[in-house]
Amino acid sequence: SQQGEEDPQALSIQEGENATMNCSYKTSINNLQWYRQNSGRGLVHLILIRSNEREKHSGRLRVTLDTSKKSSSLLITASRAADTASYFCATALAGNKLTFGGGTRVLVKP
Amino acid sequence: DSGVTQTPKHLITATGQRVTLRCSPRSGDLSVYWYQQSLDQGLQFLIQYYNGEERAKGNILERFSAQQFPDLHSELNLSSLELGDSALYFCASSVGLPMWGLANTGELFFGEGSRLTVL
Protein backbone atom coordinates (compact mmCIF):
# COMPACT_ATOMS: atom_id res chain seq x y z
CA SER A 1 0.00 0.00 0.00
CA GLN A 2 1.10 3.55 -0.67
CA GLN A 3 2.32 5.64 2.24
CA GLY A 4 1.55 8.85 0.39
CA GLU A 5 -1.47 9.57 -1.75
CA GLU A 6 -1.67 12.55 -4.07
CA ASP A 7 -4.78 14.49 -4.84
CA PRO A 8 -5.99 15.19 -7.46
CA GLN A 9 -4.88 12.32 -9.68
CA ALA A 10 -4.91 14.65 -12.67
CA LEU A 11 -4.93 18.41 -13.17
CA SER A 12 -5.32 20.48 -16.32
CA ILE A 13 -4.57 24.20 -16.27
CA GLN A 14 -3.72 27.05 -18.62
CA GLU A 15 -0.22 28.39 -18.89
CA GLY A 16 0.31 31.14 -16.31
CA GLU A 17 -2.11 29.67 -13.79
CA ASN A 18 -1.08 28.13 -10.50
CA ALA A 19 -1.19 24.39 -9.90
CA THR A 20 -1.79 22.94 -6.47
CA MET A 21 -1.57 19.31 -5.52
CA ASN A 22 -1.83 17.62 -2.17
CA CYS A 23 -0.27 14.62 -0.53
CA SER A 24 -1.56 12.73 2.46
CA TYR A 25 0.38 10.11 4.33
CA LYS A 26 -0.31 7.65 7.10
CA THR A 27 2.56 7.41 9.55
CA SER A 28 5.06 9.76 11.16
CA ILE A 29 7.84 10.83 8.87
CA ASN A 30 11.33 12.30 9.00
CA ASN A 31 10.96 14.25 5.82
CA LEU A 32 8.76 14.53 2.76
CA GLN A 33 10.03 15.04 -0.75
CA TRP A 34 8.46 16.00 -4.07
CA TYR A 35 9.65 14.63 -7.39
CA ARG A 36 8.73 15.31 -11.00
CA GLN A 37 8.59 12.75 -13.77
CA ASN A 38 8.30 13.61 -17.42
CA SER A 39 6.57 10.94 -19.45
CA GLY A 40 8.59 7.73 -19.45
CA ARG A 41 11.64 9.41 -17.90
CA GLY A 42 13.37 9.13 -14.56
CA LEU A 43 12.18 11.03 -11.53
CA VAL A 44 13.80 14.34 -10.67
CA HIS A 45 14.00 15.63 -7.11
CA LEU A 46 12.27 18.99 -6.63
CA ILE A 47 12.25 19.83 -2.97
CA LEU A 48 12.54 18.29 0.49
CA ILE A 49 10.80 19.48 3.61
CA ARG A 50 11.74 18.16 7.02
CA SER A 51 9.25 17.19 9.66
CA ASN A 52 10.10 20.27 11.76
CA GLU A 53 9.53 22.66 8.85
CA ARG A 54 6.17 24.06 7.82
CA GLU A 55 6.89 25.77 4.51
CA LYS A 56 9.64 25.81 1.95
CA HIS A 57 10.21 27.64 -1.33
CA SER A 58 12.31 26.86 -4.34
CA GLY A 59 11.90 29.13 -7.36
CA ARG A 60 8.27 28.82 -8.47
CA LEU A 61 7.64 25.96 -6.07
CA ARG A 62 6.12 26.27 -2.64
CA VAL A 63 5.71 23.28 -0.37
CA THR A 64 3.85 23.16 2.90
CA LEU A 65 3.79 20.43 5.51
CA ASP A 66 1.20 19.90 8.20
CA THR A 67 2.33 17.02 10.37
CA SER A 68 -0.78 17.20 12.54
CA LYS A 69 -2.91 16.47 9.47
CA LYS A 70 -0.26 14.26 7.88
CA SER A 71 -0.48 16.23 4.68
CA SER A 72 1.64 18.31 2.34
CA SER A 73 0.90 20.52 -0.63
CA LEU A 74 2.94 21.51 -3.66
CA LEU A 75 2.15 24.78 -5.39
CA ILE A 76 3.60 25.61 -8.77
CA THR A 77 3.12 29.28 -9.55
CA ALA A 78 2.89 30.81 -13.02
CA SER A 79 2.91 27.42 -14.68
CA ARG A 80 4.60 26.82 -18.03
CA ALA A 81 4.05 24.17 -20.68
CA ALA A 82 7.35 22.63 -19.56
CA ASP A 83 5.78 21.93 -16.14
CA THR A 84 3.61 19.26 -17.79
CA ALA A 85 4.62 16.10 -15.92
CA SER A 86 3.62 13.77 -13.11
CA TYR A 87 4.41 14.92 -9.61
CA PHE A 88 5.03 12.51 -6.76
CA CYS A 89 5.35 12.98 -3.06
CA ALA A 90 7.65 10.63 -1.22
CA THR A 91 7.87 10.06 2.47
CA ALA A 92 10.98 9.11 4.37
CA LEU A 93 10.40 7.00 7.41
CA ALA A 94 12.96 5.96 9.96
CA GLY A 95 15.23 3.59 8.12
CA ASN A 96 16.18 3.55 4.51
CA LYS A 97 12.93 3.41 2.57
CA LEU A 98 11.54 6.28 0.53
CA THR A 99 7.92 5.51 -0.33
CA PHE A 100 6.18 7.21 -3.24
CA GLY A 101 2.56 8.08 -3.74
CA GLY A 102 0.55 7.46 -6.87
CA GLY A 103 1.31 10.85 -8.38
CA THR A 104 -0.61 13.77 -9.85
CA ARG A 105 -0.56 14.18 -13.62
CA VAL A 106 -0.37 17.85 -14.51
CA LEU A 107 -1.14 19.14 -17.99
CA VAL A 108 -0.31 22.77 -18.69
CA LYS A 109 -2.00 24.00 -21.83
CA PRO A 110 -0.34 26.77 -23.82
CA ASP B 1 21.54 14.09 -16.62
CA SER B 2 21.36 12.60 -13.12
CA GLY B 3 24.63 10.74 -13.42
CA VAL B 4 22.91 7.40 -12.84
CA THR B 5 23.23 5.01 -15.78
CA GLN B 6 20.89 2.12 -16.43
CA THR B 7 21.16 -0.54 -19.09
CA PRO B 8 19.46 -1.78 -21.12
CA LYS B 9 16.94 0.99 -21.84
CA HIS B 10 14.49 -1.43 -23.39
CA LEU B 11 14.16 -5.17 -23.10
CA ILE B 12 11.62 -7.51 -24.63
CA THR B 13 11.55 -11.10 -23.53
CA ALA B 14 9.25 -14.07 -23.11
CA THR B 15 7.52 -15.51 -20.07
CA GLY B 16 9.70 -17.85 -18.06
CA GLN B 17 12.91 -16.14 -19.07
CA ARG B 18 15.51 -14.42 -16.89
CA VAL B 19 16.94 -10.94 -17.37
CA THR B 20 19.53 -8.79 -15.65
CA LEU B 21 19.23 -5.05 -15.32
CA ARG B 22 22.32 -3.02 -14.57
CA CYS B 23 22.81 0.25 -12.75
CA SER B 24 25.84 2.47 -12.29
CA PRO B 25 25.28 5.03 -9.53
CA ARG B 26 26.51 8.60 -9.52
CA SER B 27 30.19 8.93 -8.82
CA GLY B 28 30.71 8.80 -5.06
CA ASP B 29 27.23 7.57 -4.18
CA LEU B 30 27.28 4.51 -1.98
CA SER B 31 23.56 3.77 -1.80
CA VAL B 32 21.62 2.20 -4.64
CA TYR B 33 17.86 1.70 -4.75
CA TRP B 34 15.66 -0.25 -7.12
CA TYR B 35 12.06 0.71 -7.87
CA GLN B 36 9.43 -0.84 -10.11
CA GLN B 37 6.88 1.38 -11.83
CA SER B 38 3.79 -0.09 -13.42
CA LEU B 39 0.44 1.41 -14.34
CA ASP B 40 -1.53 -0.55 -11.77
CA GLN B 41 0.97 -0.61 -8.89
CA GLY B 42 2.58 2.78 -9.18
CA LEU B 43 6.16 3.24 -8.01
CA GLN B 44 7.11 0.38 -5.72
CA PHE B 45 10.30 0.22 -3.68
CA LEU B 46 12.09 -3.08 -4.22
CA ILE B 47 15.41 -3.06 -2.44
CA GLN B 48 18.29 -0.86 -1.29
CA TYR B 49 22.02 -1.47 -0.95
CA TYR B 50 24.67 0.50 0.78
CA ASN B 51 28.31 -0.12 -0.02
CA GLY B 52 27.63 -3.69 -1.05
CA GLU B 53 25.27 -4.62 1.76
CA GLU B 54 21.52 -4.97 1.63
CA ARG B 55 19.97 -2.31 3.87
CA ALA B 56 16.24 -2.25 3.17
CA LYS B 57 13.80 -4.49 1.43
CA GLY B 58 10.42 -3.64 0.01
CA ASN B 59 7.93 -5.50 -2.14
CA ILE B 60 10.48 -7.58 -3.95
CA LEU B 61 9.33 -10.94 -5.22
CA GLU B 62 11.31 -14.08 -4.43
CA ARG B 63 11.86 -14.47 -8.18
CA PHE B 64 13.82 -11.22 -8.10
CA SER B 65 17.24 -10.70 -6.59
CA ALA B 66 19.79 -7.95 -6.55
CA GLN B 67 23.32 -7.24 -5.52
CA GLN B 68 25.78 -4.40 -5.34
CA PHE B 69 29.33 -5.08 -6.40
CA PRO B 70 32.62 -3.73 -4.97
CA ASP B 71 32.75 -1.09 -7.72
CA LEU B 72 29.28 -0.02 -6.45
CA HIS B 73 27.36 -0.87 -9.58
CA SER B 74 24.24 -2.90 -8.97
CA GLU B 75 22.31 -5.56 -10.82
CA LEU B 76 18.70 -6.58 -10.52
CA ASN B 77 17.97 -10.13 -11.64
CA LEU B 78 14.44 -11.04 -12.64
CA SER B 79 13.71 -14.71 -13.24
CA SER B 80 10.76 -16.89 -14.24
CA LEU B 81 9.29 -13.79 -15.79
CA GLU B 82 5.54 -13.33 -15.93
CA LEU B 83 3.42 -10.96 -17.98
CA GLY B 84 2.80 -8.89 -14.86
CA ASP B 85 6.51 -8.17 -14.50
CA SER B 86 6.31 -5.84 -17.46
CA ALA B 87 7.19 -2.45 -16.03
CA LEU B 88 9.73 0.33 -15.86
CA TYR B 89 12.52 -0.52 -13.46
CA PHE B 90 14.35 2.42 -11.98
CA CYS B 91 17.63 2.58 -10.19
CA ALA B 92 18.41 5.53 -7.95
CA SER B 93 21.44 6.48 -5.92
CA SER B 94 22.15 8.80 -3.04
CA VAL B 95 25.20 10.38 -1.50
CA GLY B 96 25.39 8.07 1.46
CA LEU B 97 23.45 5.93 3.85
CA PRO B 98 20.36 8.02 4.39
CA MET B 99 19.41 7.98 7.99
CA TRP B 100 16.33 10.01 7.08
CA GLY B 101 17.09 12.22 10.00
CA LEU B 102 17.31 15.97 10.17
CA ALA B 103 20.95 16.00 9.19
CA ASN B 104 20.51 14.13 5.94
CA THR B 105 18.77 15.16 2.74
CA GLY B 106 17.70 11.77 1.51
CA GLU B 107 17.52 13.10 -2.05
CA LEU B 108 17.58 10.33 -4.63
CA PHE B 109 19.00 10.64 -8.14
CA PHE B 110 17.17 8.44 -10.62
CA GLY B 111 18.33 6.82 -13.80
CA GLU B 112 16.22 6.87 -16.94
CA GLY B 113 14.93 3.39 -16.27
CA SER B 114 14.86 0.03 -18.03
CA ARG B 115 11.58 -0.74 -19.73
CA LEU B 116 10.88 -4.46 -19.55
CA THR B 117 8.22 -6.01 -21.73
CA VAL B 118 7.35 -9.65 -21.11
CA LEU B 119 5.42 -11.29 -23.95
Side-chain angles (χ1 to χ4, degrees):
Chain A
S1 64
Q2 305 282 8
Q3 157 71 334
E5 294 294 339
E6 288 89 344
D7 171 63
Q9 290 188 329
L11 186 56
S12 180
I13 56 174
Q14 293 293 137
E15 206 165 23
E17 293 180 341
N18 295 341
T20 300
M21 59 211 85
N22 303 297
C23 170
S24 60
Y25 57 91
K26 298 172 185 173
T27 63
S28 296
I29 58 172
N30 287 332
N31 68 58
L32 186 144
Q33 303 177 34
W34 286 90
Y35 287 77
R36 184 188 73 231
Q37 183 182 31
N38 291 89
S39 181
R41 305 291 301 275
L43 281 76
V44 175
H45 182 266
L46 294 176
I47 197 166
L48 177 150
I49 186 164
R50 295 188 171 89
S51 59
N52 63 346
E53 297 175 312
R54 292 296 168 258
E55 187 171 315
K56 205 160 182 181
H57 297 255
S58 177
R60 293 183 296 112
L61 305 179
R62 172 177 169 257
V63 167
T64 63
L65 179 64
D66 187 333
T67 53
S68 66
K69 295 181 179 177
K70 292 187 171 57
S71 68
S72 173
S73 68
L74 171 66
L75 168 67
I76 305 173
T77 61
S79 62
R80 307 166 181 169
D83 294 329
T84 293
S86 291
Y87 292 81
F88 295 86
C89 69
T91 48
L93 310 176
N96 304 309
K97 199 162 85 166
L98 191 62
T99 305
F100 287 82
T104 293
R105 295 189 310 279
V106 175
L107 172 64
V108 181
K109 295 178 284 188
Chain B
D1 183 4
S2 68
V4 178
T5 303
Q6 288 188 248
T7 57
K9 287 185 169 45
H10 301 276
L11 193 54
I12 301 175
T13 189
T15 55
Q17 295 298 305
R18 173 190 170 95
V19 298
T20 296
L21 309 180
R22 182 188 168 100
C23 169
S24 294
R26 288 191 322 158
S27 177
D29 283 359
L30 299 179
S31 283
V32 168
Y33 308 75
W34 286 97
Y35 284 85
Q36 177 195 58
Q37 187 178 38
S38 60
L39 284 175
D40 55 345
Q41 294 291 323
L43 198 63
Q44 297 285 324
F45 169 75
L46 296 178
I47 198 163
Q48 184 227 344
Y49 285 85
Y50 173 76
N51 203 22
E53 292 184 8
E54 181 186 308
R55 285 308 176 103
K57 213 165 186 175
N59 302 322
I60 187 166
L61 300 172
E62 286 190 10
R63 299 183 286 108
F64 297 179
S65 65
Q67 55 182 324
Q68 186 180 28
F69 295 87
D71 67 353
L72 300 178
H73 91 271
S74 178
E75 293 181 356
L76 178 66
N77 300 297
L78 315 174
S79 61
S80 303
L81 286 168
E82 302 175 358
L83 296 178
D85 297 328
S86 295
L88 258 175
Y89 290 85
F90 286 106
C91 169
S93 71
S94 68
V95 293
L97 179 63
M99 301 307 292
W100 306 126
L102 297 179
N104 294 279
T105 64
E107 175 183 355
L108 300 190
F109 295 86
F110 279 79
E112 290 298 312
S114 292
R115 183 175 293 280
L116 173 66
T117 302
V118 182
L119 301 175

